[in-house]
Amino acid sequence: MLEALEKGVKGGVWFSLIDKVYRPETLYAAWQRVRHAGGAAGSDQESLEQFEKRLDANLAKLCEELRTGSYRPRPIRRTYIEKPGSKEKRPLGIPTVRDRVVQTALKMVIEPIFEKEFVCTSFGFRPGRGCKDALRRVEGLMRAGYSWVVDADLKSYFDSIPHDRLVEEVSKYISDSGVLGLIEGFLKQQILEDLSLWTPEKGAPQGAVVSPLLSNIYLHEVDKVMKVAGYEMVRYADDFVILCKSQQEAASALERVTELTQQGGLSLHGDKTSLVDTGEAGQGFDFLGYHFENGTRWPRKKSLRKFKETIRRKTRRSNGRSLAVIIDDINGTTKGWFEYFKHSNKRTFKMLDGWIRRRLRSILRGYAKKKGISRGKDHIRWPNKYFRDHGYFSLYDAYCALLQSS
């Protein structure tokens, strides 16, 4: 396959791939990835530990079912998880362990084929690429004078992908009936929700191992057409922006991407799609957790709200824990948060440091049998150095150290 990837295959279409999927070495490597990723049991109630107890037999059975074409995916168990900063809940599908192994093996075989085709404007769920690469690209374009931005939002993308058209897109590069049958089977996998079973008519099942790759394949044509047309689009999964040098170019780009998505059976969210002149005061856009405005960026409101809610839970006044334990718990959040948002405007870090220390001072007031939140001379009684000496990870200090190292 590696040699063929370098030289290309006849007609650009791949045949005879299913044998690479059910090869014992592939299935075992897929199992190792599934085991490392962890996760709960699916609809058959079989856990990772239970699957591993009969690992050889389970992998041999999968190999035989895939070889003979008798393999059928089992229903996905649907559950709902809290959306931080929102009263809504996000649906999450949990495939069975056996299905996760097969999907991982399938992904291992076909992903290199599409990685060879994908264009550089796509950053989400791709090997060696991520959010930070997309953000660097956006910032680089803005510095280069691309001040007009198409801020777009695909409406319910993962739930809207037409199955037949997605399989058509895959078929442009793969003509192995076994592989195509597997993909169709995963797309039409039944959903077990409470005690009811139903079959989705469209969409890629969220939570499935292969869904992110399939979602990128479906938008590949949009990426390609926009790039050939000369538009600077930066896409991360279903979240994308198009950076332009003029209002006319931005309007043209929006018209073209609207046309392309409609052709694919998708739609842009009207209320969340707009043209933004970042050169105008007060105008900006959100992308991958950041808000871009006036030549700088900082965490968007939703990102700040999620962060603050997490800190609030860890700094309740009546928590029965020592200050050292609370600070250690807070640091676990702030260090990870800073690693992602460290390129924000410096005012962000001073403001958050002050807010966190006020909450800590309120806890100290409680220890001292004083009522109410931090006020008065609390900042003198417990100055910033007091918290630093107790191990508090200062966001602003970390930002200054980053500037010095840079």
Side-chain angles (χ1 to χ4, degrees):
M1 282 190 71
L2 290 172
E3 185 180 354
L5 282 168
E6 290 298 322
K7 297 180 180 179
V9 292
K10 188 176 180 180
V13 180
W14 290 73
F15 298 86
S16 303
L17 289 174
I18 191 66
D19 60 309
K20 280 80 173 173
V21 177
Y22 65 69
R23 183 178 291 165
E25 294 86 352
T26 308
L27 290 172
Y28 181 70
W31 155 252
Q32 289 181 308
R33 293 190 184 186
V34 171
R35 186 73 181 88
H36 178 73
S43 59
D44 61 359
Q45 301 302 312
E46 184 175 39
S47 67
L48 288 163
E49 292 74 20
Q50 290 170 326
F51 188 91
E52 190 171 23
K53 285 180 181 177
R54 301 184 64 253
L55 182 60
D56 291 342
N58 284 328
L59 295 183
K61 185 178 180 182
L62 286 177
C63 175
E64 182 62 15
E65 289 181 354
L66 290 166
R67 187 185 67 80
T68 60
S70 60
Y71 169 82
R72 297 292 182 273
R74 292 174 183 170
I76 292 176
R77 179 168 69 88
R78 172 165 283 191
T79 185
Y80 289 86
I81 58 175
E82 298 288 340
K83 259 185 170 183
S86 171
K87 293 181 179 179
E88 298 178 12
K89 292 190 176 182
R90 178 182 288 111
L92 178 67
I94 305 176
T96 61
V97 175
R98 68 190 288 274
D99 291 340
R100 300 206 294 265
V101 171
V102 174
Q103 287 192 24
T104 303
L106 174 64
K107 182 185 175 186
M108 288 168 63
V109 171
I110 69 172
E111 186 175 55
I113 294 170
F114 291 99
E115 275 298 313
K116 188 76 173 174
E117 303 295 331
F118 288 158
V119 295
C120 61
T121 59
S122 165
F123 292 88
F125 307 116
R126 294 184 59 188
R129 287 172 160 248
C131 290
K132 292 182 180 180
D133 302 298
L135 290 167
R136 275 192 288 268
R137 181 60 180 158
V138 168
E139 193 160 42
L141 287 167
M142 292 182 70
R143 286 176 177 172
Y146 290 79
S147 59
W148 277 88
V149 178
V150 178
D151 183 12
D153 184 270
L154 281 169
K155 197 172 183 179
S156 303
Y157 173 60
F158 284 93
D159 296 328
S160 304
I161 303 174
H163 290 169
D164 54 344
R165 296 188 189 184
L166 173 54
V167 175
E168 280 180 22
E169 291 300 316
V170 177
S171 301
K172 291 179 180 178
Y173 303 94
I174 294 175
S175 191
D176 184 304
S177 59
V179 167
L180 294 176
L182 268 184
I183 291 172
E184 288 189 80
F186 288 130
L187 290 173
K188 299 184 183 301
Q189 220 168 337
Q190 287 186 305
I191 306 293
L192 175 63
E193 188 170 358
D194 295 326
L195 296 177
S196 62
L197 269 176
W198 55 279
T199 304
E201 297 180 359
K202 57 184 179 179
Q206 294 189 47
V209 176
V210 78
S211 288
L213 173 60
L214 295 177
S215 68
N216 273 335
I217 291 171
Y218 196 64
L219 286 178
H220 171 57
E221 194 63 27
V222 175
D223 294 338
K224 193 167 63 174
V225 171
M226 294 298 285
K227 183 172 178 59
V228 170
Y231 295 116
E232 292 290 354
M233 186 166 82
V234 181
R235 181 175 69 81
Y236 189 96
D238 59 336
D239 195 3
F240 68 89
V241 289
I242 308 169
L243 293 98
C244 307
K245 288 192 171 181
S246 68
Q247 182 178 9
Q248 183 179 2
E249 183 187 0
S252 176
L254 176 57
E255 183 179 350
R256 187 70 180 108
V257 79
T258 301
E259 179 186 341
L260 289 169
T261 51
Q262 287 176 348
Q263 289 173 359
L266 307 171
S267 61
L268 297 179
H269 204 300
D271 295 336
K272 298 180 181 179
T273 300
S274 61
L275 302 185
V276 178
D277 180 8
T278 60
E280 286 289 325
Q283 288 203 37
F285 65 95
D286 294 340
F287 187 59
L288 298 181
Y290 274 95
H291 179 78
F292 291 82
E293 185 179 321
N294 197 28
T296 187
R297 55 169 156 154
W298 55 84
R300 67 173 184 164
K301 290 181 180 178
K302 188 175 181 180
S303 301
L304 283 173
R305 187 165 62 247
K306 287 165 62 176
F307 175 75
K308 284 189 170 184
E309 284 181 1
T310 302
I311 297 298
R312 282 191 185 99
R313 286 196 299 270
K314 296 185 176 188
T315 55
R316 293 189 176 102
R317 293 192 71 210
S318 304
N319 55 63
R321 300 185 299 168
S322 70
L323 182 65
V325 171
I326 295 171
I327 285 177
D328 186 60
D329 193 16
I330 290 174
N331 288 348
T333 296
T334 53
K335 287 179 181 178
W337 191 87
F338 177 78
E339 181 57 32
Y340 187 77
F341 288 105
K342 61 187 176 185
H343 299 295
S344 299
N345 187 288
K346 66 179 180 181
R347 290 194 299 270
T348 300
F349 307 114
K350 270 194 169 183
M351 176 269 293
L352 288 175
D353 268 342
W355 179 77
I356 293 172
R357 282 192 290 258
R358 280 196 299 276
R359 294 194 64 83
L360 292 175
R361 290 186 182 106
S362 294
I363 292 173
L364 291 172
R365 282 179 66 88
Y367 292 166
K369 307 299 183 183
K370 295 178 180 293
K371 295 182 179 180
I373 61 173
S374 174
R375 61 181 183 270
K377 295 183 178 180
D378 285 352
H379 68 286
I380 298 175
R381 186 178 296 113
W382 300 297
N384 295 352
K385 185 178 181 300
Y386 177 85
F387 299 106
R388 190 181 298 114
D389 291 343
H390 280 74
Y392 172 68
F393 175 80
S394 166
L395 295 166
Y396 184 69
D397 288 352
Y399 175 77
C400 293
L402 177 69
L403 288 184
Q404 289 175 354
S405 64
S406 298

